[in-house]
Amino acid sequence: MKLLQLFVFSLAAFVAVSCGNPANAEQTTEATNTEKTDTQAEAQTVANTAPGKVSVGDKAPDFNLKNVDGEMYSFENIKDANGEAPKGYIIVFTCNTCPYAVASEQRIIDLHNKYAPMGYPVVAIQPNDPAAQPGDSYEAMKERATEMEYPFLYLFDEGQKVYPIYGATRTPEVYLVDAKQIVRYHGAIDDSVRDAENVEEKFVEKAIEALEKGQEPKPAKTKAVGCSIKTV
Amino acid sequence: MKPILLITVILLSISCNAQPDKQQKDTPTTTLSRTQNATTEANWPSPNKYVEGIPVYESYSDIAPMFALKNDTTYVINFWATWCQPCVKELPHFEQLTEKYKDSKVKVVLVSLDFPKQLESKLVPFVKKHELKSTVVTLLDGKYNDWIDKVSKEWSGAIPATLFYRADQQYFLGHSVESTEELENVLNNYIH
């Protein structure tokens, strides 16, 4: 019986909230205030997590990482598709296992095929610790690169030394670096990481085209949902 | 007694649907009872539809009011997906928080960012299997760059990520948690 009383009471409360006209009226007025409070709340936010360490305009830290072919690569010995010193580097933190990285895989291949001949090769860096994500071991990277015939370098951030210096947080995440090793664009490949069919704006392509014209990429920074980089 | 009550509820909910809100397109199933209190909260955004009782928001603008409620409840809003390992690993801590604070003004909302095509094949079975007690909703908006900053400027987009807020106070956690205490620590130290 007690349960029944409780039920009837909550039912009454439910009715009062959802059916009462005054409540509805209140709902409408408060709804119009929503946007304002949203911006206020944003403005009051205090930074309490470390932001990415490398921002647009900063020098891109150099690295010396092992490619899936066993060779070591750093800015100095990376070449474009013509064997020339690149005009820029499309550094992509990505991996085998993240569903969003997988969804972006073909787009990364396409980026390299389109832009490496123009002087902008893709340099993929796999930042996950295989101890936390066995599917991202160096062996698994080699297999994936062979299977998908990656036309670009697929470097292993062994010991996870490089991604923290960049401040990368997720896969996939792009840093477009120019010939002077300055970061000119940071963020997503395009505006629809999850689903290639819904892409409307190709951020990296736009950024490269801006660089080609001697302009600043706009936007120079974007965000997307991705898998957090795996550590033990 | 029970059938009568059930009928009363159904009748009442039908009579209440005269509201000008977006209508629930799918017939809510039994799992909806879990989220029913959510949908009756003042200013709680109406979903575009339900999939097996799970509220589905199509765009960020549809769910936005959930991040701007002006009341005395602390909302703990976690972004996750069934395909995200660290997200799944930390879920039990959010479930414990829900259980521990069920009589307090703390509400945990698990916002799934699962692939729209995998709601029925992945999300629904996951929620059922784990009998999640926290409110689960799903947001389909894949134009992330348009809304990540609206949740928090500190958010890089990596998941898991959790926003705590009460009225104008908020705290953003951009990494996974290892314990329920870690969540309680935020509640106690950053939200007053």
Side-chain angles (χ1 to χ4, degrees):
Chain A
M1 230 18 220
K2 255 192 180 172
L3 219 120
L4 181 69
Q5 278 173 0
L6 191 77
F7 196 84
V8 170
F9 179 75
S10 49
L11 200 67
F14 174 83
V15 172
V17 172
S18 58
C19 294
N21 275 334
N24 277 350
E26 192 186 349
Q27 211 163 343
T28 335
T29 47
E30 279 193 29
T32 51
N33 288 334
T34 307
E35 278 183 28
K36 210 179 4 177
T37 58
D38 194 30
T39 12
Q40 279 169 353
E42 265 178 30
Q44 285 169 9
T45 308
V46 184
N48 47 26
T49 51
K53 285 174 187 154
V54 175
S55 301
V56 170
D58 291 346
K59 180 113 176 161
D62 206 352
F63 45 79
N64 190 31
L65 298 174
K66 189 158 71 173
N67 186 33
V68 285
D69 66 3
E71 300 293 322
M72 301 299 286
Y73 283 90
S74 50
F75 283 124
E76 173 188 73
N77 64 343
I78 294 173
K79 304 289 182 217
D80 69 10
N82 309 309
E84 306 283 331
K87 290 196 270 182
Y89 308 80
I90 308 170
I91 298 177
V92 189
F93 287 93
T94 189
C95 65
N96 284 6
T97 53
C98 171
Y100 279 17
V102 173
S104 303
E105 190 177 38
Q106 189 58 48
R107 281 174 272 176
I108 297 169
I109 294 171
D110 293 346
L111 268 180
H112 181 85
N113 287 340
K114 182 169 178 184
Y115 290 102
M118 285 171 59
Y120 300 85
V122 163
V123 180
I125 300 177
Q126 197 293 99
N128 289 338
D129 184 345
Q133 189 68 276
D136 285 322
S137 69
Y138 181 64
E139 284 306 313
M141 286 173 61
K142 284 203 283 193
E143 279 169 31
R144 188 72 190 173
T146 310
E147 187 188 337
M148 298 303 293
E149 298 180 348
Y150 282 176
F152 47 77
L153 299 176
Y154 191 25
L155 310 178
F156 180 36
D157 187 4
E158 193 166 10
Q160 301 192 297
K161 295 189 177 95
V162 173
Y163 93 79
I165 302 172
Y166 273 80
T169 60
R170 60 179 195 273
T171 55
E173 183 171 351
V174 177
Y175 292 82
L176 177 66
V177 174
D178 68 16
K180 291 176 183 164
Q181 294 169 28
I182 303 296
V183 176
R184 304 296 295 274
Y185 169 82
H186 174 210
I189 295 168
D190 52 47
D191 65 352
S192 178
V193 58
R194 190 180 66 200
D195 181 4
E197 281 177 20
N198 290 335
V199 172
E200 288 171 327
E201 198 176 348
K202 298 179 174 178
F203 298 132
V204 171
E205 294 200 15
K206 271 182 72 178
I208 294 172
E209 278 152 27
L211 293 189
E212 283 289 285
K213 289 179 196 156
Q215 295 167 350
E216 288 300 320
K218 276 185 194 162
K221 279 169 85 173
T222 59
K223 287 183 176 178
V225 167
C227 304
S228 52
I229 290 170
K230 307 291 186 297
T231 53
V232 175
Chain B
M1 274 315 271
K2 270 193 175 170
I4 298 172
L5 278 172
L6 203 71
I7 291 165
T8 324
V9 174
I10 292 166
L11 282 176
L12 279 168
S13 47
I14 289 170
S15 64
C16 288
N17 271 351
Q19 285 185 59
D21 287 358
K22 283 172 196 164
Q23 294 298 311
Q24 301 167 3
K25 286 170 197 161
D26 292 2
T27 313
T29 59
T30 44
T31 44
L32 183 58
S33 58
R34 182 172 38 75
T35 54
Q36 195 125 48
N37 63 338
T39 52
T40 57
E41 276 181 47
N43 298 325
W44 192 263
S46 307
N48 301 86
K49 62 177 180 180
Y50 292 85
V51 170
E52 301 247 0
I54 298 172
V56 178
Y57 296 91
E58 273 161 16
S59 74
Y60 183 77
S61 60
D62 296 321
I63 203 174
M66 199 184 286
F67 299 88
L69 295 166
K70 287 275 214 178
N71 56 42
D72 56 357
T73 297
T74 300
Y75 294 91
V76 180
I77 305 179
N78 174 255
F79 291 89
W80 70 294
T82 58
W83 50 255
C84 164
Q85 273 178 23
C87 303
V88 169
K89 199 176 157 205
E90 69 168 5
L91 276 187
H93 306 308
F94 287 88
E95 284 288 279
Q96 274 184 36
L97 201 70
T98 293
E99 178 61 26
K100 195 165 173 184
Y101 288 83
K102 63 184 175 193
D103 300 320
S104 314
K105 294 193 168 180
V106 172
K107 184 180 180 68
V108 176
V109 186
L110 306 174
V111 180
S112 144
L113 299 178
D114 275 87
F115 287 87
K117 285 175 186 164
Q118 296 183 344
L119 299 187
E120 281 168 33
S121 60
K122 296 273 171 66
L123 180 63
V124 168
F126 183 94
V127 170
K128 282 184 179 165
K129 183 185 168 196
H130 296 274
E131 299 178 334
L132 297 183
K133 301 285 186 296
S134 309
T135 298
V136 177
V137 305
T138 183
L139 172 61
L140 306 185
D141 196 336
K143 298 281 177 181
Y144 300 118
N145 190 52
D146 296 342
W147 60 264
I148 285 175
D149 276 348
K150 291 179 184 169
V151 173
S152 170
K153 289 214 158 70
E154 296 162 48
W155 187 14
S156 71
I159 56 171
T162 306
L163 181 78
F164 300 71
Y165 88 93
R166 184 170 66 201
D168 286 340
Q169 298 178 62
Q170 59 169 292
Y171 184 88
F172 179 76
L173 200 62
H175 55 82
S176 55
V177 296
E178 305 286 336
S179 67
T180 312
E181 289 70 38
E182 220 175 306
L183 297 171
E184 289 186 284
N185 185 39
V186 174
L187 289 181
N188 297 331
N189 294 318
Y190 297 96
I191 309 286
H192 302 288

